[in-house]
């Protein structure tokens, strides 16, 4: 509920011994009517939510103080016979606000009684700390290099050395498992997995560091699709290498199936941590989604990819600029068929007591007309197939009580296949073109095209588009939008890390070497010391510090595995 009346429990706004919690403020409403009125409120992010339930009864001639949520701007109004004084206000954390309503002037503007705190100051402080640490480590690294250079035997000469004619020995190059990998790939994978750890641990309880309530896009919504995208890029490189040493495509497909089954098993094990019994064990999950999408795209590539590149420029003539697409037309036809099938099911499958093509969350959405239609066809299929074996959370912070809907369900898993194959195609560009400019230009073009198409589908709006951007639904506009950002980010990383080599990719590159290990490990240890601990009075400061510590500690684990040359692959 966006507004909470504290009548039975202690009202933290009126008790001097109590303190407000995270994302809370005080709201005092002076009712100058000679009769009681009812206060209503709902989040401004709640699309067409006029039918939200009442929040408090305001007695006549009295000042009523309530605790309000500051996560989202609130739309508030009161009702007697009619509705009055609709207004939207962005309450700030730990502030105190007032509002006067009366028969004469109906209502005044909401005003500030006590100034709020700056809830974003912890983010700025954390950013500055990381910048200073980065500068410190870079300075130490330069100093160490200078000292080593001055003390190096290569810089110490005497007359006898100048008179002697010696053959320059061939330098010994030591390699390990990580030195033979493409650094930009591990860097992007490491960014995704460390950001996923930060988000899963709470993200300091900031709204924009958590997933969107339904439609819209936050930075937290990007991490899983980015991980899937970079998995697709790795598929291209891995399958091309496997085909060079083995002519049996059947064996390669069996190895893909084996890896997918291991990921599914790991996913079920992770889900069992939060299950009380097998009756409520969740079948879908992040690793299950990655497993299925990996197997589909890896199998398609194994069947159609060429063992030896025959992509001669002369083969396609004037269309050689498109040879990365033309040479893989069969794969693209299959992917487009999958996308078309997903779209047709979404918009044509009849769902009982729900409009065809419904994409909303149910609850208060769309004036509460379809409260039991959460997720439309995707939610209906998940509830029909999985029953109680799915994500069971029904309390939405914006839309109230909704039906169970699994963000990694069947339809969403089908949808993410497009993201994975976008990564596959990015890998084809990496292998096919040898000049950095040719690669980067094509990645940027793909970023532009996918971004434009995704924007057209959602009309560059959060709610008004034909297919809104929704991570909960893994909508087509969402998969195209996240692919747009993935192409863009990887083009930048490839330029900086692989081509210019002005950044080693550290510290993210170490996490990218063992992403599954870190992901499973952080789920198992979540809430356990020394990764986390119980806080007596949680604030953004304490939670952000703890969540960053958790993420940094897993970064240290990743670095230790790198030093030991340990790469745990599935």
């Amino acid at each position: 509920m966006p507004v909470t009346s504290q009548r039975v429990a202690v009202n933290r706004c009126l008790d001097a011994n109590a303190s407000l919690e995270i994302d809370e403020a005080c709201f005092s409403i002076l009712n100058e009517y000679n009769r009681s009125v009812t206060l209503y409120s709902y989040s401004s992010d709640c699309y067409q939510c006029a039918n939200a339930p009442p929040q408090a009864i305001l007695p006549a001639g009295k000042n009523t103080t309530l605790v309000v949520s500051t996560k989202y701007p609130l739309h508030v109004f009161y009702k007697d016979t009619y509705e009055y004084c609709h207004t939207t206000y962005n309450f700030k954390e730990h502030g105190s606000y007032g509002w006067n309503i009366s028969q004469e002037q109906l209502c005044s503007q909401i005003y500030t009684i006590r100034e709020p705190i700056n809830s974003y100051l912890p983010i700025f402080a954390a950013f500055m700390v990381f910048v200073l640490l980065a500068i410190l480590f870079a300075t130490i690294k330069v100093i160490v290099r200078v000292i080593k250079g001055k003390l190096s035997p290569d810089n110490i000469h005497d007359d006898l050395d100048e008179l002697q004619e010696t053959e320059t020995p061939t330098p010994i190059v030591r390699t390990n498992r990580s030195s033979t990998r493409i650094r930009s790939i591990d860097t992007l994978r490491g960014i995704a997995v460390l950001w996923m750890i930060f988000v899963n641990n709470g993200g300091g309880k900031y709204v924009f560091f958590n997933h969107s309530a339904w439609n819209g896009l936050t930075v937290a919504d990007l991490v899983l699709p980015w991980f899937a995208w970079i998995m697709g890029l790795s598929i291209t490189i891995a399958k091309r290498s496997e085909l060079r040493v083995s002519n049996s495509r059947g064996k390669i497909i069996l190895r893909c199936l084996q890896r997918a089954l291991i990921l599914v098993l790991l996913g079920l094990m992770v889900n069992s941590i939060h299950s009380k019994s097998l009756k409520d064990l969740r079948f879908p999950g992040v690793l299950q989604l990655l497993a299925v999408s990996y197997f589909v795209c890896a199998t398609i590539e194994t069947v159609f990819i060429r063992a030896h590149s025959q992509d001669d420029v002369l083969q396609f003539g004037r269309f050689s600029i498109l040879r990365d697409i033309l040479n893989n037309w069969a794969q693209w036809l299959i992917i487009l068929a999958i996308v078309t099938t997903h779209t047709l099911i979404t918009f044509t499958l009849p769902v009982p007591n729900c409009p065809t093509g419904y994409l909303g969350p149910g609850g208060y959405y769309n004036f509460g007309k379809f409260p039991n239609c959460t997720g439309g066809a995707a939610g209906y299929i998940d509830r029909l197939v999985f029953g109680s074996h799915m994500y069971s959370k029904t309390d939405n912070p914006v839309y109230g009580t909704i039906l169970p809907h699994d963000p990694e369900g069947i339809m969403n898993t089908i949808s993410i296949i497009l993201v994975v194959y976008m990564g596959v195609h990015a890998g084809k560009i990496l292998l096919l073109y040898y000049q950095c400019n040719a690669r980067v230009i094509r990645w940027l073009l793909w970023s532009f095209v996918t971004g434009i198409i995704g924007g057209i589908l959602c009309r560059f709006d959060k709610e008004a588009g034909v297919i809104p951007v929704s991570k909960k639904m893994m909508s087509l506009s969402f998969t195209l939008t996240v692919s747009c950002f993935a192409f863009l980010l990887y083009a930048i990383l490839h330029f900086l890390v692989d081509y210019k080599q002005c950044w080693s990719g550290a510290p993210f590159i170490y996490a990218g070497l063992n992403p599954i290990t870190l992901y499973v490990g952080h789920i198992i240890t979540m809430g356990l010391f020394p990764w986390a601990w119980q806080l007596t009075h949680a604030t953004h400061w304490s939670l952000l510090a703890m969540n960053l510590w958790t993420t940094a500690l897993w970064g240290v684990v990743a670095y230790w595995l790198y030093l030991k040359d340990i790469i745990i692959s599935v």
Side-chain angles (χ1 to χ4, degrees), residues 47 52 72 93 97 110 139 169 171 189 217 223 230 237 258 308 326 329 349 401 430 455 461 485-486 494 498 526:
Y47 184 64
Y72 307 94
E93 185 175 5
Y97 302 89
I110 296 175
T139 304
R189 188 187 288 115
L217 193 67
V223 289
I230 203 70
I237 299 172
Q258 180 184 10
H308 304 284
L326 297 176
W329 61 269
L349 181 69
T401 302
L430 181 65
D461 188 86
F485 289 121
H494 177 74
D498 295 332
M526 189 175 293

Side-chain angles (χ1 to χ4, degrees), residues 180 196 200 215 244 297 348 360 370 400 415 427 527 540:
T180 59
M196 192 181 298
N200 288 347
N215 292 336
R244 286 175 178 173
C297 290
T348 62
F370 311 107
S415 183
H540 280 302

Side-chain angles (χ1 to χ4, degrees), residues 538-554:
T539 63
H540 280 302
W541 281 98
S542 59
L543 284 173
L544 183 64
M546 184 173 66
N547 297 155
L548 288 174
W549 163 257
T550 303
T551 307
L553 190 56
W554 279 111

Side-chain angles (χ1 to χ4, degrees), residues 119-120 123 195 199 203 205-211 217-221:
S119 59
Y120 303 116
I123 300 177
W195 191 255
V199 167
K205 291 296 183 182
Y206 287 101
V207 173
F208 43 81
F209 285 156
N210 284 271
H211 296 293
L217 193 67
T218 67
V219 289
D221 295 328

